[in-house]
Amino acid sequence: MAAAVRVLPASPNWYCSRCSHTSGDGRLFGFAARHRISVSRWKWRSHGAYPGAGELIGHTERIAAFAFCPHREHSALCASGADDGSVRLWDAVELEQRGEHGLHQNAITALHWSPLVKDLIVSGDEKGVIVCYWHSRNDSQQFFPEPRTIFCLTCSPHHENLVAIGYKDGMVVIIDISRKKEVLHRLRGHDDEIHCLAWCPVPGEGRLPAWQDELQEEGDVPNGELKQDTAMKKSCYLASGSKDQTIRIWSCTRGRSVMTLKLPPTKRRGGAVDPAVKERIWLTVHWPCGRPTEIVSSSFGGELLHWDLTQPGKRKWTLMGSSEGQNHSRIVFNLCSLKHQDKELLLSISMDRDIKCWDLSTLDCSWTMPSLGGFVYSLAFSPVDPGCLAIGVGDSMIRVWNTLSMSNIYDVKTYWQSIKSKVTALAWHPTKEGCLAFGTEDGKVGIFDNKPPQISSTYHKKTVYTLAWGPPTPPLSSGEEGEHPSVTLYSCAGEGIVFQHNPWKLSGEANDINKTIRDTNSIKHKLPAHTEISWKPDGKLLALGNEDGSIEIFQAPSLKLLCTIQQHHKLINAIRWHHEHGSDPELSYLIASGSVNAVIYVHNLKSVVESTSESPLTITEPFRTLAGHTAKVTSLSWSPHHEGRLVSACYDGTAQVWDVMKEEPLCNYRGHQGRLLCVQWSPVDSDSIYTGADDFSVHKWLISKQEHTRPPQGKKSIELEKKRSIQPKVKAKKKKKPVGKNPAKQDLSDAVNGDESMKDTLLEENGVSDHEGEKAAQETELSDKDSMAVSKDTSLSAYDYSSFSSSKPFVTLKATPVKKDPPKEKAAPDASLKKRKPRSLLPFSTSMDHRSKDELHQDCLKLATCLKTKDHNEDVSSDLQDRIHLGLFTDRASLHNMIDMEGKYHLENGHPELFQQLMLWKGDMKGVLQAAAERGELTDQLVAFSPMVGYQAWVWTVEAFAKQLCFQEQYVKAASHLLSIHKVYEAVELLKVNNFYREAIVIAKARLRPEDPILKDLYTSWAAVLEKDGHYSMAAKCYLGASSPYDAVKVLAKKGDAASLKTAAELALISGEEELSASLSFRCAQEMLLSRNWVGAQEVLQHQKTLFGQRLVFCLNELLCKCLSERNPCNRRSPVPPCYHNWELNRNVSFFDMVIEVWQKVLGMDTTEKATCAREQLRSIEHPPSTSNTHPKQVLFYICHDLTLAALSYQAAAWDEAVKSILGAVARSYDAGNFTLMQEICNIFLPEGCENLRDKLDSTNSQSIAACRSLEGFVAYGLLYDLWWNPPKGSPAIQKAGLDPAFCPTEQTALEQSCVPDHSSPEETPDQTAVELDENLSSTTECNRCKTESDSETNSVGLADRQSKLNGCKVLLSEAIAALQNTQRDIAEVQKILADMIHRHQQQRNTLQESTNGSIHENNMQQSSEKEPDEPCSDSSQINKDEVKEAITLPELTKQLLEAKQKLAEFPDSLKVFPFPDVLECCLVLLHLGAQCPPELHQQALDLLRKHGSADVYEKAVRKFLT
């Protein structure tokens, strides 16, 4: 490749995790640009660096991954992976391919060269396949750890077998490639695409002690304890950057995240972000070598952040780039490190197309190298500032390059404002500094003048080809001096028109110079389309190039036509006048022109100018001919340093310098990899030339350094064309893939930098449309010029990426190089893509008109004869029986015969639609409609034609078509057709029957009266279906639509969750169903209570006035639960954290007083009337009795209801009611078997016992006294067990008698957990508990009873204090209550025996009926007789053995039951109304206390057991103490 001194390269590809990299020795830097790799050999200077460029060419599709070999001895080797599925190995110094593999079946998205294994390249593709390739031995291994799209991967620098992979869905996987399918860790934490992975450069995980605390907080290692030494030696940290805007540091030992860094909301310098535009994000991370505590990452708007991981607090980042303009202006994709001398440098590539070099020691940008994202269409040097080169690029931006800058060789400014399209033409103002005109692909003309551009109000219809500044012509040339500008702007575009723009008033309408040309030269005929414009430097002559190849010379300012050059015969692409500062004045009349036909002609117009002829001259002979190019010439430039020296740019991919006077080629530049589009000779250096091409680059090259003198010819030309034609494969059409399937193509499908197939435009944050790629078939530079020429090249462009091939496994038609001459080299279009010719409606007559000439002559004679006969008013149809096709030229009857013949032909060949169309033409539609309806072949077209026959026929046809559509299950379409004939009810019914309710409702509401009953029927029918399918919300909307809010509320409440109930309650309230709303609100509050959400429960209840009492209950429930959790903390975390109110609580008063204070302050219970009303509300509610099967939270709620009544009675000083309510709460916890809860309620609400309450009671009220006695009994019952379970230290009691956990009244630590069902309902307690009590106390294998946490201080109480407390338990040893409980046990025992007898008798009766049934077969009788002895045995085993011995009869049992009930009736009602603990159970507990029990109590307990312990259930227990 020819050496270029300086290059503005193509932009690196976007949205790739690794498409740029540096070599191990730091001498080479490479990046992927479209389907090529640009390699730079760095030559360092004090002010920065510049590359000597080379390119690696071979891939046929976009390159998504690139990496150098990190080993210094092989630093020239690099690898790349592309969308074509191939991985290629390159020598970056020799610019040659060294190897290739195609093991991937899909587009490659990530690639890395192992830092530890010299020949290992690891690559991943969009389907999740990982390929490990050892190139030195040509060996490979495949892995498929996850069926997900891979976004990035990286090999560990410390363990040769570890590879980290990042996926599109946010998962990071670490695999061990030494073991097949071995996944070490699946790291979950990110929520979106993984953009980059980076290993910590220092091995081990012990170098960052600050992180270990964070690890400890997260808990233990999932798989057991891991020794620190092992973890530190064998693993290291991994950093990941994700689209979810976080960076995570992972511990590979623990397999979890140890630190999360959230991107800060930094404001990009240079302007605010448009809030309407969703900002893009690409989060790449880089871990600098030797710096384990520092990370560099990208951010939102192009900033780079330097993170110090040891910094405390949230702000661990520093913004890189201290001064204005140092940062990128758009998102950064890649970061790679580079060592130069002692400096650690960082190279970044960005969406703003700049490559920046950063010094990590200062965090400042050292230098910037721009790149180009589109075809280079135009180059223009400023005549005022000769070093300023303007570059028009297809990425919708203009670059102005200060080529004379000594401090920065890439001193480039970028202009993008208001352009929004490809920049195809540029022109500097001849005298005004900084004034630059531009033209775009969409026909826009504008001027940059040291401020935002002004846009001409006159747009061209097609691409602007050329801009030129010249003297004003009419009408701008008329008027006094100073009224008009000295120079105006001329633009020529693809529609062939040249406009003259007034630079002082671009908002005004531009002038078409064709009008002036016509007026001046009195031209009447059509003017040729103009394609090129060029003013002579002195402004006296104007040359216009035309589409037909002619060049017209006009004299300014009137534009009088002097001559026409008829030399080229194809479209003119370039015209240039020679400069005027040469030694020979005659040379200034030289004009060079280039066209599509590849030959450059130079003409001398001096004789024309000096001619006195009035009429225009025609020139047909050139002054000089420059032949050698093999494709069309696109641009010309005269040397400002020489006389008669010209450079040309051509589609053959070369630039040629000519000695015009000698007609000799001097040198040929072949450095570009594409077609040349523009050329400029440097105005300051006679040896330098600048060229731009469709390879997205600008080259500056030296004439003296080129080895070739003329354009390539013959084989060389073919080889050069092949070299340039290696382009992306022409893909076969595939099925449409889901959006975002390919990681690199996800945003890349919008704007792959360099992907020419992009059609959409990206919105810049600042509002600029950014055409990132350009479709080459549309990009053929100045292609609109060619499109107007007859001889335009219609072959495929070398850069045409459109699909023209069949499927991949068979044939792939590669894009063919553009070749104008000879035509045979044009790419043949695929036959499958040719536009198919429509089938003829008259095939028979057409074929008859293509017979032999003799037969056609006979037709003419026959036709003349028939027409002659017709003149005599005779029928001619009989004369044309053998030539029916001639009916086209005779009368209507003959034409009908011809149509019938053609129709028959169509039916025979299976084309009824063509037959129908012919019948339509004939006017015979009725028969066609009937026949089609009978065969079920009606179509939309026939229905559309049916009104021609008449209204009735139309209605009949539509109905028939609707039936046909129903058979085809196209019900919606059928309904639409019924609507067209105003059959609304039928259409609605059709849709309803076939379950198209939504469509039916739309039609009904749109077409029927609002009160029509069918509408309500539709809503209710649909609601029933939806309700059955479980779509309750939708069903509720249907009921609302049917004006049935009650049904809507009921169906919403069906689901039963809190959210549905809340909505249903609000809906009921809106609908006026207050009672239903209150009921649902209460249900919702209860659901929230189960999830411990008291705040939500209160919010639901506050809207219901009738539930004020329930609000008090919920409030007390919340305060009680909070108190219980404080008194009994539970170590086990609840899955649902409680949601408490932030109420201020007065802890210095009693619990009742604290609750009442909250009621008054928060809930507004500030009047006696409100309290009385709430009391009445709660009294009216009765809750079912609680058992051991009742949910603990439900039990607690019922208890809170009783306690709320107690608190309200307490506030009203109604002590009798208060005692009964407290007793109800305590008894309910006792019945539910939750002994600990019973104890806690007594301790919280009665911390000093019942003495104070007893004093406040009315002593004359026997019921109140009995309730208080019962309450005292339960308090003493709890105290008794507390003393037993917590013996004094050294006491032998706990060793003599243990308590099995299965017996104890309850085994609770957290009061809201499930309770032990041992203390069952009161009627079970006397029988079962006594037996279990004795068995557990007598057991030799005893286990220690866990102590209750609420009163653990009892252990330290002295024996005397314990005895005084035991004396307080005397209330439990009540003779009367013991007798009552004994009678109740007798009644229960007799009832149980009776129930067993009845059950046994019923079973025997059923068995007897089965055995005596005459219809039963003998074998069945035998089976039943075999079962008979078993069934009674099984039943009899349930009966007490004593019953068998005594064989008690039914009358005796009845008598016993009657006696027991009479005895029970003798007890006073005050004893029977209120529950009481089992007296005999308390006696047994006291006796088991042994010496701790006072003698008086001991004796009293023995007496009670002797008297009332005769029951079977107590027999064994009593025997131990009474014998």
Side-chain angles (χ1 to χ4, degrees), residues 1366-1378 1476 1479-1480 1482-1484 1486-1487 1493-1509 1521-1522:
L1366 283 170
N1367 284 326
C1369 299
K1370 189 174 182 180
V1371 67
L1372 293 168
L1373 306 182
S1374 169
E1375 171 70 28
I1377 294 176
F1476 199 86
V1479 175
L1480 296 185
C1482 297
C1483 292
L1484 288 171
L1486 282 170
L1487 292 175
C1493 180
E1496 182 183 351
L1497 287 179
H1498 190 273
Q1499 186 60 42
Q1500 194 173 351
L1502 283 174
D1503 293 342
L1504 286 172
L1505 284 173
R1506 286 192 189 98
K1507 187 173 182 180
H1508 301 289
F1521 296 104
L1522 299 184

Side-chain angles (χ1 to χ4, degrees), residues 1150-1152 1203 1210 1218-1219 1222-1223 1226 1238-1254 1268 1271-1272 1274-1276:
S1150 69
F1151 193 85
F1152 273 140
L1203 293 174
Y1210 173 86
V1219 168
I1222 296 174
L1223 175 61
V1226 173
M1238 185 192 78
Q1239 276 190 316
E1240 290 295 343
I1241 291 172
C1242 294
N1243 292 333
I1244 292 172
F1245 291 91
L1246 300 170
E1248 298 176 359
C1250 301
E1251 295 299 326
N1252 291 336
L1253 277 177
R1254 178 179 284 279
C1268 186
L1271 182 60
E1272 288 175 342
F1274 280 108
V1275 173

Side-chain angles (χ1 to χ4, degrees), residues 1407-1468:
T1407 306
L1408 184 63
Q1409 285 179 351
E1410 289 176 5
S1411 61
T1412 57
N1413 194 339
S1415 63
I1416 299 175
H1417 296 293
E1418 188 177 345
N1419 58 346
N1420 290 337
M1421 293 172 60
Q1422 185 177 354
Q1423 290 175 8
S1424 63
S1425 64
E1426 288 173 1
K1427 291 178 182 178
E1428 251 180 75
D1430 294 331
E1431 290 174 356
C1433 284
S1434 62
D1435 291 329
S1436 62
S1437 65
Q1438 306 294 328
I1439 305 171
N1440 198 318
K1441 292 179 181 179
D1442 296 335
E1443 291 186 42
V1444 180
K1445 295 175 184 178
E1446 296 177 7
I1448 193 165
T1449 63
L1450 182 63
E1452 291 176 351
L1453 279 174
T1454 308
K1455 182 180 179 182
Q1456 287 181 13
L1457 182 63
L1458 185 61
E1459 291 174 354
K1461 285 189 175 180
Q1462 288 174 351
K1463 189 176 179 181
L1464 181 66
E1466 295 173 1
F1467 288 98

Side-chain angles (χ1 to χ4, degrees), residues 612-672:
T612 58
S613 173
E614 289 296 325
S615 59
L617 303 177
T618 300
I619 298 176
T620 56
E621 292 298 325
F623 175 68
R624 293 289 187 272
T625 301
L626 307 176
H629 283 300
T630 57
K632 67 179 180 181
V633 176
T634 55
S635 182
L636 300 170
S637 179
W638 291 95
S639 168
H641 312 283
H642 310 86
E643 294 182 345
R645 191 160 295 183
L646 182 72
V647 62
S648 58
C650 180
Y651 257 33
D652 62 11
T654 68
Q656 180 66 43
V657 180
W658 307 87
D659 186 329
V660 173
M661 304 309 289
K662 297 180 180 179
E663 295 184 327
E664 289 182 358
L666 298 180
C667 89
N668 183 259
Y669 177 67
R670 305 180 183 181
H672 284 282

Side-chain angles (χ1 to χ4, degrees), residues 636-853:
L636 300 170
S637 179
W638 291 95
S639 168
H641 312 283
H642 310 86
E643 294 182 345
R645 191 160 295 183
L646 182 72
V647 62
S648 58
C650 180
Y651 257 33
D652 62 11
T654 68
Q656 180 66 43
V657 180
W658 307 87
D659 186 329
V660 173
M661 304 309 289
K662 297 180 180 179
E663 295 184 327
E664 289 182 358
L666 298 180
C667 89
N668 183 259
Y669 177 67
R670 305 180 183 181
H672 284 282
Q673 302 300 326
R675 303 167 299 183
L676 270 64
L677 305 178
C678 50
V679 64
Q680 281 288 318
W681 207 302
S682 170
V684 294
D685 183 0
S686 60
D687 197 33
S688 297
I689 291 177
Y690 292 82
T691 48
D694 64 4
D695 61 2
F696 290 42
S697 65
V698 173
H699 289 195
K700 174 192 173 183
W701 48 275
L702 302 180
I703 300 171
S704 57
K705 300 290 185 181
Q706 305 311 311
E707 56 184 88
H708 303 287
T709 58
R710 61 177 59 248
Q713 303 294 324
K715 287 185 179 180
K716 289 183 180 179
S717 177
I718 295 170
E719 289 171 3
L720 189 65
E721 201 65 47
K722 282 183 179 177
K723 183 180 180 183
R724 291 200 320 276
S725 67
I726 298 177
Q727 296 301 324
K729 287 178 186 174
V730 182
K731 289 185 178 178
K733 284 188 178 180
K734 294 181 181 178
K735 289 183 181 177
K736 194 170 184 180
K737 292 184 179 179
V739 175
K741 206 165 185 180
N742 184 344
K745 290 177 182 170
Q746 144 245 25
D747 286 310
L748 213 127
S749 62
D750 308 336
V752 179
N753 173 39
D755 181 3
E756 299 288 17
S757 63
M758 176 201 158
K759 297 181 180 177
D760 301 309
T761 59
L762 286 174
L763 271 177
E764 270 265 28
E765 287 84 353
N766 48 27
V768 175
S769 294
D770 200 330
H771 294 258
E772 301 310 61
E774 292 119 69
K775 190 164 184 176
Q778 302 165 357
E779 233 345 311
T780 57
E781 178 276 355
L782 309 174
S783 60
D784 290 334
K785 298 181 181 181
D786 299 350
S787 66
M788 301 175 68
V790 177
S791 58
K792 179 177 182 293
D793 176 12
T794 58
S795 65
L796 277 178
S797 161
Y799 289 76
D800 192 348
Y801 296 172
S802 53
S803 301
F804 277 83
S805 69
S806 53
S807 58
K808 274 187 179 178
F810 302 100
V811 179
T812 300
L813 295 179
K814 293 190 176 179
T816 311
V818 174
K819 278 287 181 180
K820 296 297 293 177
D821 299 315
K824 63 183 180 182
E825 291 193 19
K826 293 180 182 177
D830 193 334
S832 64
L833 294 181
K834 285 183 178 178
K835 193 172 182 180
R836 175 175 285 185
K837 190 176 180 180
R839 189 180 300 276
S840 174
L841 273 172
L842 304 167
F844 173 72
S845 58
T846 303
S847 63
M848 294 297 285
D849 287 335
H850 286 80
R851 293 172 298 158
S852 66
K853 188 180 291 185

Side-chain angles (χ1 to χ4, degrees), residues 395-551:
D395 57 10
S396 306
M397 292 189 282
I398 299 170
R399 275 79 165 179
V400 177
W401 184 4
N402 182 8
T403 59
L404 300 182
S405 174
M406 301 301 294
S407 60
N408 182 4
I409 59 171
Y410 286 119
D411 182 2
V412 175
K413 292 181 180 178
T414 302
Y415 299 89
W416 49 264
Q417 293 90 341
S418 303
I419 296 176
K420 302 182 182 180
S421 183
K422 302 169 189 175
V423 182
T424 53
L426 294 170
W428 289 95
H429 195 283
T431 57
K432 190 175 181 181
E433 186 174 2
C435 183
L436 177 65
F438 66 90
T440 66
E441 184 193 40
D442 60 4
K444 184 189 306 174
V445 175
I447 299 176
F448 279 97
D449 192 1
N450 298 317
K451 56 186 176 183
Q454 294 181 345
I455 306 300
S456 172
S457 62
T458 305
Y459 275 61
H460 285 282
K461 295 179 181 178
K462 293 188 178 181
T463 303
V464 177
Y465 293 155
T466 311
L467 295 174
W469 293 90
T473 58
L476 292 182
S477 61
S478 60
E480 297 182 7
E481 188 175 350
E483 292 183 3
H484 297 288
S486 59
V487 289
T488 57
L489 180 63
Y490 295 84
S491 60
C492 178
E495 71 270 27
I497 295 174
V498 176
F499 283 128
Q500 178 186 205
H501 305 266
N502 185 349
W504 289 2
K505 194 178 179 182
L506 284 177
S507 59
E509 187 176 354
N511 305 308
D512 183 353
I513 68 168
N514 276 356
K515 185 177 183 303
T516 305
I517 293 173
R518 287 178 185 277
D519 294 343
T520 302
N521 301 283
S522 302
I523 297 175
K524 304 299 182 185
H525 60 78
K526 182 183 176 182
L527 293 175
H530 307 303
T531 59
E532 179 69 351
I533 181 171
S534 180
W535 279 95
K536 195 170 183 293
D538 60 7
K540 294 180 180 179
L541 298 178
L542 171 66
L544 289 181
N546 299 323
E547 183 188 16
D548 60 6
S550 63
I551 300 173

Side-chain angles (χ1 to χ4, degrees), residues 10 53 90 388 403 655 796 822 888 894 925 934 971 1105 1214 1273 1313 1354 1391 1397 1414 1423 1447:
W90 309 89
C388 266
T403 59
L796 277 178
L888 186 64
S894 302
M925 280 300 299
E934 290 170 2
Y971 304 110
K1105 293 181 181 179
Q1313 306 305 322
T1354 317
Q1391 288 175 337
M1397 288 177 67
Q1423 290 175 8

Side-chain angles (χ1 to χ4, degrees), residues 1078-1294:
S1079 170
L1080 293 172
S1081 296
F1082 182 60
R1083 280 180 60 193
C1084 177
Q1086 286 186 311
E1087 286 295 323
M1088 290 184 172
L1089 189 65
L1090 292 177
S1091 60
R1092 311 174 74 190
N1093 183 3
W1094 287 279
V1095 175
Q1098 288 288 355
E1099 287 177 356
V1100 171
L1101 294 173
Q1102 69 182 1
H1103 301 295
Q1104 308 291 338
K1105 293 181 181 179
T1106 58
L1107 297 180
F1108 181 73
Q1110 295 295 349
R1111 291 189 68 194
L1112 303 182
V1113 175
F1114 277 80
C1115 176
L1116 187 140
N1117 181 280
E1118 178 180 353
L1119 296 173
L1120 180 59
C1121 287
K1122 187 184 290 188
C1123 180
L1124 290 173
S1125 63
E1126 291 171 356
R1127 293 169 66 90
N1128 300 276
C1130 182
N1131 294 327
R1132 185 168 62 85
R1133 289 183 179 179
S1134 171
V1136 181
C1139 183
Y1140 295 122
H1141 286 90
N1142 296 322
W1143 292 329
E1144 294 184 4
L1145 304 177
N1146 186 2
R1147 305 278 186 175
N1148 299 323
V1149 296
S1150 69
F1151 193 85
F1152 273 140
D1153 290 327
M1154 180 180 73
V1155 170
I1156 292 169
E1157 186 176 333
V1158 172
W1159 287 350
Q1160 291 173 344
K1161 288 183 179 180
V1162 180
L1163 302 185
M1165 196 189 72
D1166 47 5
T1167 62
T1168 309
E1169 290 78 8
K1170 286 189 176 180
T1172 305
C1173 181
R1175 224 166 116 201
E1176 293 303 321
Q1177 287 177 8
L1178 295 178
R1179 274 181 180 173
S1180 64
I1181 300 171
E1182 291 187 10
H1183 293 300
S1186 300
T1187 67
S1188 58
N1189 295 324
T1190 309
H1191 194 283
K1193 290 186 180 179
Q1194 197 67 45
V1195 172
L1196 187 61
F1197 180 74
Y1198 294 159
I1199 289 170
C1200 289
H1201 183 274
D1202 295 332
L1203 293 174
T1204 303
L1205 280 171
L1208 290 169
S1209 302
Y1210 173 86
Q1211 185 192 19
W1215 306 110
D1216 298 345
E1217 296 293 332
V1219 168
K1220 291 177 183 177
S1221 297
I1222 296 174
L1223 175 61
V1226 173
R1228 189 178 290 277
S1229 60
Y1230 176 79
D1231 293 342
N1234 202 331
F1235 178 78
T1236 308
L1237 179 59
M1238 185 192 78
Q1239 276 190 316
E1240 290 295 343
I1241 291 172
C1242 294
N1243 292 333
I1244 292 172
F1245 291 91
L1246 300 170
E1248 298 176 359
C1250 301
E1251 295 299 326
N1252 291 336
L1253 277 177
R1254 178 179 284 279
D1255 296 340
K1256 295 176 182 177
L1257 295 176
D1258 182 5
S1259 59
T1260 62
N1261 190 334
S1262 61
Q1263 278 209 344
S1264 300
I1265 298 300
C1268 186
R1269 181 178 64 243
S1270 182
L1271 182 60
E1272 288 175 342
F1274 280 108
V1275 173
Y1277 180 74
L1279 179 63
L1280 176 63
Y1281 269 98
D1282 193 38
L1283 292 170
W1284 182 30
W1285 288 342
N1286 297 283
K1289 293 181 179 177
S1291 172
I1294 198 67

